[in-house]
Amino acid sequence: MGGDAELSRHQQQQAATTPKDFVCPITSQVFDDPVTLETGQTYERRAIQEWLDRGNATCPITRQHLHGGSLPKTNYVLKRLIAGWREQSPPATPITPPTPATPAVPRTPATAKMESPAPAFKINSPSPDATGSQASAPSPTSVIVQATVESAVGELRAAVSCLCTSEELAESEKSVLRIERLWREAGAAEQAFFSALAKPAVINGFVEILFNSVSAQVLQVAVFLLAELASRDDGVVQTLTRVDTDVDCLVALFKKGLVEAVVLIFLLSPSVEQLVEMDMGEALVATIRRADEADALNMCVKPKSASVILLSQILSESGVGRESTPPVPRSSLVSERFVRSTALVLEAEQVEVRVAAMRILMRCIAEDGHCRSSIVEKLAVGAVLDAFHVVGDADKFEIVRFLSELLKLKKRSTAERVLRAIKEGSSFSMMHTLLVYLQSTTPEQSPVVAGLLLQLDLLVEPRKISMYREEAMDSLVQCLKNSDFPRSQLLAAETIMNLPGKFSSSGRPLARSALLKLARVKERYRQSQELSVVRGTDGAEDDAAGEEKAASEWERKTAYALVSHEFGLVLEALSECLESKNAELFAASLVCAAWLVHMLSFLPDTGVLGAARVCLLRQLVLVLRSAKHGSDRALAMVALRSFMNDREGMQDITTYIKDVLRTLRELKKSSGLAFEMLKLLSDGQESSIDMWNHKELNNADCSSNGEVTSIVYYKSYIFSGHSDGTLKVWEGSENILRLVQESQEHTKAITSLSILPSEEKLYSGSMDRTIRVWQFRDGLRCAEVYDTRDPVQNLAVASAMACFVPQGAGVKTLSWNGGTPKVLNPSKSVRSMALVHGKLFCGCNDGSIQEIDLASGTLGVIQPGNKRILGKSNPVYSLQVHDGLLYTGSTPLDGASVKIWNSSNYNLVGSIPSAAEVRSLVVSADLVYLGSRNGAVEIWSREKLIKIGALQAGGAGCRVQCMAVDADGDVLVVGTSDGKIQAWGLT
């Protein structure tokens, strides 16, 4: 006990003479190697190092978190003060305390542990007030601090003076490095340092270094110091921006690879216009693309973060595809490495940086939608959602839009995984947060927010009552009905159009393409080539089946949620949008309506189908009848087909039967669904009289010009030739058979007219032994006249020649380039002919039919001639080729006046059992018209060869001389021997 008392007295005497600032608060001993931490507290190096090695990360006195990875350099100022104090106050003789005897203890694992070597000194965890009682010498801290500051400031002033006055670059560079060292060791002198460095003269000195130095280290340090100063004082920013060349120098250094310069550029806060002029796009992209490296300078803002913010500002100024020379090349933006690097920045600590990275990624998606998959792979949903709770309303909407864009993925399973991450990734209820936000959004923001909220709600099976779904649906319907905001209407329709979850690999919605595929349209729509939504990229059948099942289940859930809301209220809203004159809104609404009506066939019967017919049937029929685009008509057809699944729907459609049938006939050849609907509407009898009713549209009396000898229909005009040589042009569209022009350049009867569509020329053959060529682009005028030396009984033309039937036997050919006419088939008297793809088909007076190859001159016999029976012949009066079939009309033999041949192999493939003597025939897509010698026109089904009806042309005792139909097969024009022209239309 005596020894302890003596040691205590010795320590008290030493404490009474030792300044408290010279004593380590951990070891209670005078400093040997003092280090001052960032918290301002000083400790013995060995003591604080052992404190940190034991896993502590805070200052022992202040308990503040220590950020530095290593201890700072020795506090030499304090060490010099201690050395001076020791010289003036020699230490007392140390007294060694007695060591008490230690009793023997049995060795056990526990005692073995206790016997481990003790540390060289004892580590304490002192309280902030503990050090005050350890030393009571009258040497206040302020004396040491003041001495430290004065010493450091003096050294700084010398370095600054050298920087500003030295004409040697090497000395100035050394001064910059010295200033940086002093700045980092400033401690309590930091404010004094800042005041000394923030002066314009010093700032200009640093800028001179930037202009002249070639040392990477010096340039980095100079930029670091300027950034530190600019981040603390706007006056420094003003000094730097006062001279444009200073900023230009920073930009040039950044482009050359000094990435730290971008931090200073960011702190200067240039305008967006200035950023674009700086042309730093590619340098910013390169900085973002770089892998994260240790920041040796520990700058106030990370170069990558500054680059992200600046690039976001530049891209916000330049729209997608708006400029011929964009500030950032598209190839740089859509590179996978850049996209992935930017996606990683979404985890940045600063919210501003996260939002800027998100805006850049939105631009990447706009440039190339394939970027979505790369973003999703690196996406930190939690960081994005956390930012949503602290940013303003404008940025909130950008976050919602970003998340909505990420859901436009080809694989349904991946999209649902992202949805679950959104739903569960936030520390708050994201659905409730979106619900609250939805109630304060603008009309143009509501559809996007409502769409995301609805998808989150549909992750589970739709419930009967869901607050989130009801609010989302109310918002979508309200936007669709709000005609005061057309943009909001369009966004709502597009949101619904995206809900089926079918997207291409680039994120383009495929709902329209999927519906067109249902219409079985034969034209190759570009969209349909991307309908591989459910095909796994690896081709695995199990994955494909799983994707298909997930996609179908999602489509069913979304459709049910939409149509079950307020008994199909969304269908009523879509019906109103279909009346809009906005082409984009109409197109999106039509896809939505067609999809929902189609899906009603796969959903439980809730009575919504009847409401859908009430809302949409009239609109869909109108689209089917008069839409300009064939794809729009196909979409309407898909929806109407769904209405035909029940009896009530069929009855409602029959109200519009005429319009529907007319359009379905037009679409029959290009759409398998149209053919199917035609059969359903006619109860399986395509020959139903209701389907093929004809109504007389107009007629013209040309009896003063003699017989009507020939008629052709081309585009919106009808051309007729007459026996007195007159050629007339009639309107063939709305005011059908209104006379437009006539010409009497032929001196004798016009026997035939022929059109060459490729050259838009009309050819007329006449008994006056000429063939005239007519141009009708700017009115009808005769352009050329060819002398045939023979009366022209019949005429067929090609681009290089004409074939005509002369007064005698055979067929003559006439080259447009001149030369002597050649005679073909001289042993036959030809009555009718047709020229198709270099093949001339001839119908003769003896009933024979031949095919002549004009290129080789070879002749093929399709039907041999008949011998006269009781002096009567059986001529082939009319002949036409249609879809590879040859139709020939004559007097009825063997119960059929019309025979149908395969024009390739001459096989007889059918016949029309008409009793009429067919003087003229014309074939359309669905019907065959037969003109007889008694003025009657019979109508037959081309497919079933069944008689559908008959028309009466001309007056009593007249013959049907010629007929023509328009390109759609809707209008029939007939010319008779009594000079009458009549037009009938399908109703």
Side-chain angles (χ1 to χ4, degrees):
M1 292 295 292
D4 290 343
E6 185 178 356
L7 177 62
S8 177
R9 284 193 302 272
H10 179 271
Q11 289 176 341
Q12 290 175 0
Q13 291 172 0
Q14 185 180 11
T17 59
T18 304
K20 64 177 181 178
D21 295 300
F22 294 173
V23 178
C24 174
I26 297 179
T27 65
S28 299
Q29 297 177 6
V30 177
F31 288 119
D32 179 57
D33 187 3
V35 290
T36 302
L37 302 185
E38 58 198 75
T39 60
Q41 300 297 322
T42 305
Y43 301 96
E44 181 65 33
R45 179 180 296 277
R46 291 184 301 126
I48 191 62
Q49 185 64 56
E50 187 166 345
W51 167 267
L52 295 174
D53 291 344
R54 292 192 176 191
N56 299 301
T58 58
C59 175
I61 297 294
T62 66
R63 301 300 182 186
Q64 295 179 5
H65 186 76
L66 299 176
H67 297 283
S70 59
L71 292 178
K73 295 180 180 180
T74 301
N75 190 335
Y76 290 104
V77 175
L78 180 58
K79 193 169 183 176
R80 286 196 295 270
L81 290 174
I82 294 173
W85 168 77
R86 278 177 170 163
E87 290 176 359
Q88 297 177 4
S89 304
T93 303
I95 298 177
T96 304
T99 304
T102 304
V105 180
R107 184 174 180 83
T108 65
T111 58
K113 183 176 181 180
M114 293 172 61
E115 292 172 4
S116 60
F121 47 83
K122 184 179 178 182
I123 297 294
N124 301 315
S125 297
S127 66
D129 297 331
T131 59
S133 61
Q134 294 172 356
S136 57
S139 177
T141 306
S142 58
V143 174
I144 301 174
V145 171
Q146 183 66 27
T148 304
V149 169
E150 289 179 356
S151 174
V153 169
E155 188 177 355
L156 176 68
R157 285 173 179 168
V160 168
S161 176
C162 180
L163 171 67
C164 297
T165 60
S166 176
E167 296 182 358
E168 295 292 331
L169 178 62
E171 292 184 4
S172 297
E173 290 178 336
K174 290 179 181 179
S175 298
V176 171
L177 298 177
R178 192 179 309 121
I179 292 171
E180 186 255 349
R181 177 180 58 80
L182 291 170
W183 174 266
R184 294 190 184 278
E185 298 174 357
E190 182 175 316
Q191 184 58 41
F193 276 30
F194 174 78
S195 299
L197 295 176
K199 297 177 181 178
V202 181
I203 300 301
N204 291 333
F206 286 130
V207 173
E208 286 296 320
I209 290 294
L210 296 180
F211 272 102
N212 299 309
S213 178
V214 293
S215 169
Q217 181 187 7
V218 172
L219 291 173
Q220 286 177 333
V221 168
V223 168
F224 162 73
L225 291 171
L226 287 173
E228 289 289 304
L229 297 172
S231 66
R232 290 168 166 80
D233 187 5
D234 290 339
V236 175
V237 174
Q238 294 175 4
T239 301
L240 288 170
T241 55
R242 191 173 294 125
V243 181
D244 292 339
T245 54
D246 294 352
V247 180
D248 294 340
C249 175
L250 287 172
V251 173
L253 290 173
F254 175 54
K255 290 181 180 179
K256 291 178 181 178
L258 187 66
V259 295
E260 291 79 8
V262 75
V263 176
L264 185 53
I265 296 172
F266 164 71
L267 293 172
L268 298 182
S269 302
S271 66
V272 177
E273 292 77 11
Q274 290 172 325
L275 285 173
V276 173
E277 290 178 3
M278 291 175 185
D279 191 24
M280 298 190 303
E282 292 195 65
L284 292 171
V285 169
T287 305
I288 298 171
R289 201 165 47 209
R290 289 176 56 180
D292 289 330
E293 300 174 356
D295 186 6
L297 294 175
N298 193 23
M299 301 192 74
C300 54
V301 180
K302 291 182 178 180
K304 179 175 285 191
S305 298
S307 298
V308 167
I309 294 174
L310 293 178
L311 182 59
S312 172
Q313 295 173 0
I314 292 174
L315 293 178
S316 67
E317 178 69 12
S318 60
V320 180
R322 199 165 60 191
E323 297 165 304
S324 57
T325 55
V328 184
R330 180 180 179 276
S331 58
S332 299
L333 283 179
V334 301
S335 69
E336 186 171 354
R337 183 178 174 186
F338 172 74
V339 172
R340 290 176 182 269
S341 298
T342 308
L344 291 174
V345 181
L346 292 174
E347 301 182 63
E349 184 177 350
Q350 298 85 359
V351 173
E352 179 188 7
V353 179
R354 283 184 246 168
V355 173
M358 183 194 66
R359 292 181 184 275
I360 294 174
L361 292 174
M362 283 290 288
R363 178 60 176 271
C364 295
I365 291 173
E367 294 287 355
D368 184 356
H370 295 88
C371 297
R372 286 181 178 86
S373 57
S374 299
I375 297 172
V376 168
E377 288 181 16
K378 299 294 182 180
L379 179 65
V381 177
V384 177
L385 298 180
D386 289 343
F388 184 86
H389 298 284
V390 296
V391 298
D393 286 344
D395 288 335
K396 275 185 168 68
F397 179 67
E398 288 301 311
I399 291 175
V400 172
R401 200 161 67 89
F402 175 63
L403 295 175
S404 299
E405 284 295 325
L406 290 184
L407 294 174
K408 298 177 181 179
L409 297 169
K410 187 174 181 180
K411 282 192 173 185
R412 187 65 237 163
S413 58
T414 307
E416 293 192 14
R417 176 169 57 82
V418 176
L419 267 177
R420 288 192 180 89
I422 296 172
K423 187 175 182 179
E424 303 166 1
S426 175
S427 54
F428 301 90
S429 170
M430 196 59 197
M431 291 181 66
H432 184 73
T433 302
L434 284 175
L435 178 63
V436 174
Y437 176 56
L438 176 62
Q439 295 167 352
S440 62
T441 52
T442 65
E444 293 189 1
Q445 295 173 342
S446 296
V448 181
V449 180
L452 179 59
L453 180 59
L454 181 61
Q455 291 183 77
L456 292 173
D457 183 72
L458 291 176
L459 273 177
V460 296
E461 189 68 25
R463 300 175 293 276
K464 291 184 178 179
I465 299 176
S466 169
M467 172 179 62
Y468 305 109
R469 186 171 72 247
E470 293 298 317
E471 287 290 335
M473 284 302 306
D474 284 341
S475 178
L476 286 174
V477 172
Q478 183 179 359
C479 291
L480 284 173
K481 286 177 167 288
N482 193 352
S483 58
D484 293 335
F485 293 91
R487 177 64 180 166
S488 177
Q489 285 182 296
L490 176 60
L491 288 172
E494 290 178 343
T495 298
I496 295 174
M497 187 171 64
N498 291 336
L499 286 176
K502 295 179 178 179
F503 300 96
S504 69
S505 56
S506 63
R508 193 170 53 81
L510 296 177
R512 185 183 188 91
S513 299
L515 292 169
L516 291 175
K517 190 174 182 181
L518 293 174
R520 304 196 293 279
V521 178
K522 294 180 182 178
E523 287 88 357
R524 292 190 302 169
Y525 291 94
R526 180 172 59 88
Q527 299 96 323
S528 62
Q529 297 175 1
E530 299 184 22
L531 281 177
S532 55
V533 182
V534 297
R535 297 174 188 164
T537 54
D538 57 359
E541 293 183 3
D542 292 342
D543 290 346
E547 287 294 329
E548 184 175 0
K549 182 179 179 181
S552 299
E553 182 66 16
W554 177 260
E555 188 176 15
R556 183 189 64 80
K557 287 196 297 187
T558 53
Y560 181 77
L562 289 167
V563 300
S564 61
H565 176 72
E566 297 291 340
F567 200 68
L569 186 61
V570 69
L571 298 172
E572 178 184 332
L574 289 171
S575 175
E576 295 175 7
C577 292
L578 287 176
E579 298 178 358
S580 171
K581 294 182 180 179
N582 185 316
E584 288 183 299
L585 177 58
F586 169 82
S589 301
L590 179 59
V591 173
C592 296
W595 171 62
L596 288 175
V597 172
H598 169 70
M599 288 303 297
L600 286 173
S601 303
F602 305 95
L603 300 177
D605 185 10
T606 57
V608 179
L609 187 60
R613 287 198 302 271
V614 173
C615 297
L616 294 169
L617 181 59
R618 183 183 66 83
Q619 291 287 349
L620 292 171
V621 171
L622 185 62
V623 173
L624 181 69
R625 183 185 67 185
S626 56
K628 295 180 180 179
H629 302 291
S631 58
D632 290 343
R633 301 167 84 183
L635 292 173
M637 191 165 55
V638 170
L640 292 173
R641 177 63 184 87
S642 298
F643 287 147
M644 294 170 62
N645 288 332
D646 59 30
R647 182 177 299 176
E648 294 180 359
M650 287 290 288
Q651 290 176 351
D652 290 345
I653 288 178
T654 55
T655 308
Y656 307 95
I657 191 67
K658 294 182 180 180
D659 292 329
V660 173
L661 288 177
R662 176 179 178 179
T663 307
L664 291 178
R665 283 196 297 269
E666 296 175 7
L667 299 175
K668 176 184 172 183
K669 291 188 66 177
S670 60
S671 168
L673 184 60
F675 183 81
E676 175 186 319
M677 292 172 68
L678 268 175
K679 289 194 172 184
L680 286 173
L681 289 172
S682 60
D683 293 328
Q685 298 297 321
E686 197 181 13
S687 58
S688 170
I689 191 66
D690 290 336
M691 293 180 61
W692 308 109
N693 279 338
H694 287 70
K695 175 184 178 181
E696 186 173 0
L697 303 177
N698 203 353
N699 64 79
D701 187 354
C702 304
S703 56
S704 60
N705 301 110
E707 298 181 1
V708 182
T709 57
S710 182
I711 286 181
V712 292
Y713 212 132
Y714 183 66
K715 292 186 177 179
S716 58
Y717 292 101
I718 300 169
F719 302 90
S720 63
H722 301 263
S723 59
D724 68 345
T726 302
L727 175 62
K728 296 190 177 187
V729 185
W730 312 84
E731 190 170 319
S733 53
E734 293 182 0
N735 299 317
I736 194 166
L737 289 184
R738 182 183 70 84
L739 185 62
V740 176
Q741 188 179 351
E742 64 177 280
S743 172
Q744 293 182 329
E745 297 197 26
H746 281 292
T747 58
K748 293 185 179 180
I750 296 176
T751 55
S752 57
L753 298 173
S754 184
I755 291 282
L756 195 60
S758 60
E759 299 181 9
E760 292 194 344
K761 292 180 179 180
L762 172 70
Y763 296 81
S764 59
S766 171
M767 297 297 290
D768 64 3
R769 303 186 181 189
T770 63
I771 297 175
R772 291 181 179 267
V773 184
W774 306 83
Q775 296 277 10
F776 49 87
R777 292 178 181 173
D778 300 317
L780 189 69
R781 66 179 183 85
C782 182
E784 297 175 87
V785 179
Y786 292 90
D787 184 3
T788 61
R789 301 180 183 179
D790 280 294
V792 179
Q793 304 277 6
N794 207 331
L795 175 67
V797 297
S799 59
M801 67 174 66
C803 299
F804 66 93
V805 178
Q807 188 96 28
V811 175
K812 287 190 175 183
T813 61
L814 175 66
S815 173
W816 301 129
N817 296 324
T820 304
K822 297 180 180 179
V823 179
L824 303 175
N825 205 10
S827 62
K828 297 290 184 179
S829 178
V830 178
R831 187 65 175 262
S832 57
M833 64 180 182
L835 179 57
V836 180
H837 302 310
K839 309 285 186 179
L840 182 66
F841 297 91
C842 302
C844 304
N845 282 331
D846 64 357
S848 64
I849 305 170
Q850 296 91 30
E851 178 199 73
I852 304 173
D853 188 330
L854 296 180
S856 62
T858 58
L859 184 145
V861 177
I862 298 175
Q863 174 177 277
N866 298 320
K867 294 182 179 180
R868 293 178 175 237
I869 302 174
L870 299 177
K872 294 183 179 180
S873 61
N874 182 30
V876 179
Y877 293 109
S878 54
L879 178 150
Q880 184 173 349
V881 179
H882 186 91
D883 280 353
L885 298 177
L886 174 65
Y887 295 79
T888 59
S890 58
T891 56
L893 290 178
D894 303 325
S897 58
V898 176
K899 293 182 179 180
I900 306 171
W901 314 81
N902 186 312
S903 61
S904 299
N905 56 24
Y906 308 161
N907 289 338
L908 182 65
V909 296
S911 61
I912 296 178
S914 172
E917 182 179 274
V918 178
R919 291 301 183 103
S920 176
L921 70 83
V922 65
V923 184
S924 71
D926 302 294
L927 302 174
V928 180
Y929 298 95
L930 309 179
S932 68
R933 63 180 300 173
N934 60 4
V937 178
E938 295 182 359
I939 307 169
W940 292 75
S941 167
R942 191 172 77 89
E943 183 176 346
K944 296 183 177 297
L945 302 180
I946 299 173
K947 186 176 180 180
I948 293 173
L951 306 171
Q952 183 60 47
C958 70
R959 299 183 309 277
V960 176
Q961 297 276 82
C962 49
M963 295 188 297
V965 292
D966 69 336
D968 296 328
D970 288 338
V971 179
L972 170 71
V973 182
V974 179
T976 57
S977 59
D978 61 355
K980 298 286 183 65
I981 301 176
Q982 291 170 275
W984 281 273
L986 280 170
T987 62

